[in-house]
Amino acid sequence: MASERARKLPDADTITGPMSESDGIDFDIIEMLYFAYRDFTSDPDAILARFGFGRAHHRVVHFVNRQPGMTVADLLDTLKITKQSLARVLKQLIDSGYIHQVEGPNDRRQRRLYPTRKGRELALELARPQSRRITEALRGIDTQGQELIRRFLKGMVNRD
């Protein structure tokens, strides 16, 4: 029965043609961004998999290394995630020795996050292949062109 349905010609509600720029959407750029993100994250994903970590771990390790001493609240705001989403990932990173959590100097409820040496090494290991990809992609593009790329990427980020 199912195979009979699969052999039928499309009905009047079935669309057989692809979406195109005539729909008013730049699908080429959308697809380039998709493929760029896929490849940009593939190298770190492979490294993270060795540790049983994922992209959420990568983001935490990255931002804590970029802003040592940031509070958990600051990290939640940066990542735009819930406390519950962060809790499991942060616990794994602390228990595994990548992040050190310290009470705030004025408020013991406040938690400040610092990378450990192990955490710094992981952050650099994850960033190196991404940096190589960026360097290669920017090769041959002058300073003005690179600034346009930065403006474009910044324009893609939500302002809040």
Side-chain angles (χ1 to χ4, degrees), residues 96-108:
S96 301
Y98 293 96
I99 302 289
H100 184 70
Q101 185 173 254
V102 178
E103 286 180 358
N106 302 322
D107 184 350
R108 295 171 65 190

Side-chain angles (χ1 to χ4, degrees), residues 3-133:
S3 61
E4 284 181 31
R5 275 186 287 201
R7 282 188 243 147
K8 283 186 180 180
L9 293 174
D11 63 22
D13 199 40
T14 302
I15 299 171
T16 59
M19 295 185 297
S20 70
E21 277 68 23
S22 65
D23 294 310
I25 298 171
D26 192 333
F27 290 108
D28 286 342
I29 290 181
I30 290 171
E31 289 166 7
M32 282 187 278
L33 283 169
Y34 169 78
F35 294 123
Y37 179 75
R38 179 200 64 193
D39 294 347
F40 183 73
T41 57
S42 67
D43 298 316
D45 284 350
I47 295 165
L48 291 160
R50 295 191 330 239
F51 302 98
F53 292 161
R55 289 184 187 163
H57 296 85
H58 184 183
R59 289 188 290 271
V60 170
V61 166
H62 173 82
F63 285 106
V64 170
N65 273 277
R66 291 288 291 155
Q67 299 174 356
M70 75 185 316
T71 65
V72 170
D74 291 339
L75 184 58
L76 288 168
D77 188 52
T78 297
L79 298 177
K80 303 288 187 225
I81 60 174
T82 65
K83 203 181 279 189
Q84 184 179 358
S85 299
L86 178 61
R88 179 188 60 83
V89 169
L90 191 55
K91 181 175 179 358
Q92 288 176 316
L93 291 168
I94 291 167
D95 291 349
S96 301
Y98 293 96
I99 302 289
H100 184 70
Q101 185 173 254
V102 178
E103 286 180 358
N106 302 322
D107 184 350
R108 295 171 65 190
R109 294 170 299 172
Q110 184 184 61
R111 299 287 181 238
R112 295 200 169 269
L113 304 171
Y114 295 88
T116 62
R117 277 193 178 83
K118 188 175 170 182
R120 177 62 52 94
E121 289 168 10
L122 178 60
L124 291 170
E125 184 179 359
L126 296 169
R128 282 185 187 105
Q130 291 183 316
S131 180
R132 282 192 296 271
R133 279 186 186 275

